Amino acid sequence: MNKKIHWGIMGLGKIAHKFAQDLKLVDNAVITAVGSRSMDKATDFASSYDAKNAYSSYEELAQDPDVDIIYIATPHSLHYENTLLCLNHGKSALCEKPIALNQEQAEEMAALARSKNLFLMEGIWTRFIPATHKLLELLEQKSIGDLHYLKADFGFIVNAPPESRLVDKNLGGGALLDIGIYPLYLSMLVLGNPIDIKANAILAPNGIDQFCSVIASFPNNTQAVMESSFISNTPTEAFIYGSKGYIKMHRKFHQSEKLELHLYESDTTQIFELPIKGNGYVHEIEHVHERLHANATQSDLLPLEMSLQLTRHLDRIKELIGLKYT
Ligand SMILES: NC(=O)c1ccc[n+]([C@@H]2O[C@H](COP(=O)([O-])OP(=O)(O)OC[C@H]3O[C@@H](n4cnc5c(N)ncnc54)[C@H](OP(=O)(O)O)[C@@H]3O)[C@@H](O)[C@H]2O)c1
């Protein structure tokens, strides 16, 4: 039987709760410790999920000798320093997306993980859901022929106070880093590394992007057309078009439970129902367990190199739209 994996959770906000609920569903996952800026919050969270240790600082969590890996669920601007803190205390880390604010930070994080022989992965949970596995299988089988282009959007109306991590520039707010990362990641998974990127945005008065559109060109004369928005409710679907038909990832595509394969010649549509387990993070957690049990220091499905490339392309888009984080 595989040994238990002892998890720590850093930053006890919205996603930390969903992730903790899913940890409870995974064999051999133990929520050992949680760390917050507030002791009350840490104690409440720990008692809700039966965590043995609650800390009022991230530093103490990183020092807990009983923890194997820490899930970092803090705002974007803190991912770099929080990940370094974990790695420097000998802890593996699963860091929420985006892994860093820029490529320089991401490179340093990856280099430290490598030098310390610790596991590090960006929390792009979409990679591990059944719909993504099925999509890649259908593409591998050439079910839609030669690939032409991908179209994906992600948008919802944000009515958040200025201090919310979604819109506070100091916390890495904006649509691109929060949700635009999903269409971009999907395009890279399906089409490879962009060779050219065009982008435009509607910026908010504080300089964050409220809407961002990206057209990326890929090898083999393929393209991706992508949008992310905080000012409109959009379908949040993805379509992959090929010479013989298309595949649709149903809403919301980053956690899709339904794929549709449409073939032009026969004018037929095949539906694949692909339920996610729990809140959807179970698949990602199971993958991390499998890698840790194999003593791997990174994911084979979402390697650090992919996160570095993704960060590099996000940097390019930020440059094109005039989005700067200090
Ligand atoms: N995978 C997904 O589907 C998904 C979905 C949503 C979000 N995310 C990612 O998860 C991360 C957290 O998102 P969230 O929606 O959970 O955010 P959130 O509700 O705002 O929680 C973030 C937590 O970070 C901690 N924090 C530390 N310094 C902070 C500061 N200066 N201001 C605000 N919070 C601070 C706080 O925890 P303490 O007070 O306990 O220290 C806070 O509760 C982001 O990177 C986001 O992109 C991923």
Side-chain angles (χ1 to χ4, degrees):
M1 198 180 95
N2 279 324
K3 76 175 181 65
K4 291 193 184 312
I5 303 284
H6 294 92
W7 285 82
I9 304 181
M10 182 177 284
L12 308 178
K14 248 171 57 192
I15 199 69
H17 280 278
K18 288 191 168 183
F19 191 84
Q21 288 157 13
D22 277 9
L23 276 172
K24 301 297 264 181
L25 303 176
V26 176
D27 281 350
N28 297 318
V30 182
I31 306 177
T32 296
V34 300
S36 169
R37 297 164 304 168
S38 141
M39 193 65 217
D40 284 350
K41 209 168 155 186
T43 311
D44 283 355
F45 195 101
S47 75
S48 300
Y49 300 101
D50 307 313
K52 189 168 62 124
N53 303 325
Y55 300 109
S56 63
S57 77
Y58 298 162
E59 180 93 31
E60 288 169 282
L61 170 63
Q63 286 170 354
D64 186 328
D66 295 336
V67 168
D68 301 313
I69 180 165
I70 296 181
Y71 172 60
I72 298 168
T74 53
H76 306 160
S77 57
L78 295 172
H79 290 174
Y80 165 72
E81 66 176 72
N82 293 161
T83 300
L84 295 190
L85 178 70
C86 296
L87 296 172
N88 279 323
H89 283 97
K91 300 296 184 300
S92 291
L94 169 63
C95 178
E96 260 307 337
K97 37 60 57 175
I99 194 163
L101 275 190
N102 55 53
Q103 201 192 357
E104 206 182 331
Q105 290 183 348
E107 295 274 8
E108 196 181 326
M109 293 153 78
L112 186 62
R114 284 186 187 119
S115 74
K116 292 195 170 277
N117 219 21
L118 290 165
F119 181 86
L120 174 63
M121 191 181 95
E122 183 174 16
I124 304 183
W125 60 314
T126 303
R127 177 62 187 90
F128 309 100
I129 60 171
T132 301
H133 287 297
K134 186 70 191 175
L135 169 71
L136 294 178
E137 185 189 309
L138 290 170
L139 296 179
E140 178 74 25
Q141 293 164 350
K142 288 255 178 196
S143 58
I144 55 169
D146 295 331
L147 292 182
H148 287 334
Y149 71 99
L150 173 149
K151 191 173 81 171
D153 68 284
F154 201 141
F156 54 88
I157 294 175
V158 170
N159 281 315
E163 64 276 14
S164 157
R165 70 158 189 89
L166 289 174
V167 294
D168 184 342
K169 197 157 181 239
N170 295 321
L171 298 178
L176 175 67
L177 289 195
D178 196 51
I179 50 180
I181 190 171
Y182 287 111
L184 183 62
Y185 173 72
L186 185 69
S187 73
M188 290 172 63
L189 187 64
V190 170
L191 301 174
N193 245 321
I195 47 183
D196 179 60
I197 293 184
K198 296 186 172 40
N200 219 322
I202 302 173
L203 301 182
N206 72 347
I208 64 153
D209 62 308
Q210 313 183 88
F211 172 80
C212 182
S213 54
V214 177
I215 299 180
S217 303
F218 292 81
N220 304 316
N221 203 21
T222 58
Q223 267 200 16
V225 181
M226 300 167 277
E227 300 168 7
S228 47
S229 173
F230 276 176
I231 50 172
S232 48
N233 292 324
T234 74
T236 310
E237 295 167 340
F239 293 83
I240 298 97
Y241 292 95
S243 52
K244 295 185 182 166
Y246 65 81
I247 298 169
K248 173 179 173 179
M249 297 184 85
H250 277 247
R251 176 184 171 81
K252 295 174 174 174
F253 79 84
H254 75 306
Q255 55 181 44
S256 187
E257 297 190 286
K258 189 171 170 180
L259 289 190
E260 189 177 317
L261 168 65
H262 181 81
L263 298 177
Y264 298 138
E265 199 179 299
S266 53
D267 195 18
T268 51
T269 300
Q270 199 178 347
I271 303 283
F272 300 93
E273 301 286 352
L274 300 150
I276 53 176
K277 293 191 217 163
N279 296 317
Y281 304 94
V282 167
H283 309 281
E284 175 185 49
I285 297 165
E286 286 175 343
H287 175 73
V288 171
H289 276 206
E290 185 254 302
R291 298 311 286 162
L292 291 178
H293 284 134
N295 291 321
T297 53
Q298 50 175 307
S299 164
D300 47 344
L301 300 184
L302 181 47
L304 286 172
E305 190 51 36
M306 178 70 160
S307 292
L308 294 176
Q309 294 293 354
L310 184 60
T311 313
R312 181 164 75 85
H313 298 305
L314 287 169
D315 277 0
R316 175 69 183 135
I317 297 169
K318 278 152 51 192
E319 186 185 325
L320 288 167
I321 65 176
L323 174 60
K324 281 198 186 76
Y325 298 104
T326 47

